[in-house]
Each structure stands twice: as C-alpha cells, then as structure tokens.
Amino acid sequence: MTSETKTPWSLDPRLAADTVAAGDLPLSRVLLSNDANYPWLILVPRRARAVELIDLAANDRAQLMDEIARVSTVLRDLTACHKLNVATIGNMVAQLHIHVIARFRDDGAWPAPVWGKLPAKPYDPPVRDAFLRDLKAALAADGGGQLE
C-alpha cells in the first residue's frame, strides 16, 4: 500500500479523545496527550489507511523521520528531559501514530515504559495551553516551519 489513496484521512476517535491537537506539520498532525504525568506528543501521518511505517510511500517515510527528529529535539529542549521514548506500537489504535515522550528519572514510571503505570492525569488548561504555546513557538523558531 502507498500513501497515495482516495480515501480521506481522519483521526482515529480514540486518539482524538485522549489528546489535544497542537497543529499540523507537512505530513503529520501533532497531538499532545492529555496526561500531565509525562510531556507526551503523538505524531499521526495524515495518510488514510496507514497502519505500519511500511504503508507510507518512501518520501512520506523520510518526511516522517524528519518530523519525528524535529519534534523530539524541541520536546527535549523544552523539557530538559533525561531520555526520550519514541515508539510506534498500535496494538490498541491501529492508525499509524508515533509517541514521543519526555522521560525523567523521577517520573512515576521510570525506568519502565509509561503504558499502564499511572492513571492519566489531565492537564490543567492553563498549563496545557502554555506548553502548546511554547511548543508552537519552538517549532516556528527551529527553521523547519511552524505548526499550521
């Protein structure tokens, strides 16, 4: 399968329910997980029926890697985290999506993966909004273009 398709793209409702949209990069929608336990971004390539990385055309795979690197760099710079976890799993939500999670040695799941360790802690809206403003400003300043 290639990313060229006539089926319109839409965000999986489970991702939409658990996140806040930060904006769009050239290929991916950038989402903030509504879990303040960890600074956690999710990139979702806007390609219908993409489930695995191999479902993307070669140029889209390259674009996705660039976007993962940009978002990872900005998240590390914004949070001064000790480690970044970058993963595409998709067992619960089949739609291709990439988790970029800032991890700290003192977070509640360290050093284990974050899934299932702590109940989700929704962001306070002012904290969430400030983080999204900082994220958008950092992406606009990194030379790769801003979130749309």
Side-chain angles (χ1 to χ4, degrees):
M1 180 189 321
T2 68
S3 60
E4 316 308 323
T5 180
K6 295 185 190 301
T7 304
W9 178 85
S10 63
L11 183 63
D12 184 287
R14 290 164 293 188
L15 288 173
D18 294 339
T19 63
V20 175
D24 290 338
L25 294 171
L27 175 64
S28 301
R29 169 99 13 109
V30 179
L31 307 170
L32 173 64
S33 176
N34 193 22
D35 184 355
N37 289 307
Y38 322 95
W40 184 340
L41 300 174
I42 300 170
L43 282 74
V44 186
R46 294 185 314 279
R47 296 294 183 260
R49 297 192 305 245
V51 174
E52 306 293 347
L53 288 170
I54 57 175
D55 295 334
L56 297 176
N59 61 322
D60 282 346
R61 285 193 306 270
Q63 178 66 38
L64 179 58
M65 291 306 299
D66 287 345
E67 292 177 1
I68 291 168
R70 279 188 71 202
V71 166
S72 295
T73 300
V74 165
L75 186 60
R76 182 181 60 193
D77 291 348
L78 286 176
T79 66
C81 61
H82 298 113
K83 179 76 175 98
L84 288 169
N85 290 172
V86 179
T88 175
I89 299 172
N91 294 340
M92 299 296 289
V93 175
Q95 182 175 45
L96 178 60
H97 60 287
I98 297 83
H99 300 268
V100 182
I101 308 167
R103 299 296 308 278
F104 301 88
R105 291 183 192 101
D106 61 352
D107 74 40
W110 185 267
V114 298
W115 287 273
K117 293 294 180 184
L118 297 173
K121 176 183 163 188
Y123 275 96
D124 289 328
V127 173
R128 178 200 63 214
D129 295 346
F131 181 81
L132 288 170
R133 272 192 308 276
D134 291 346
L135 174 68
K136 291 175 183 181
L139 284 168
D142 78 350
Q146 63 188 24
L147 288 172
E148 299 296 325

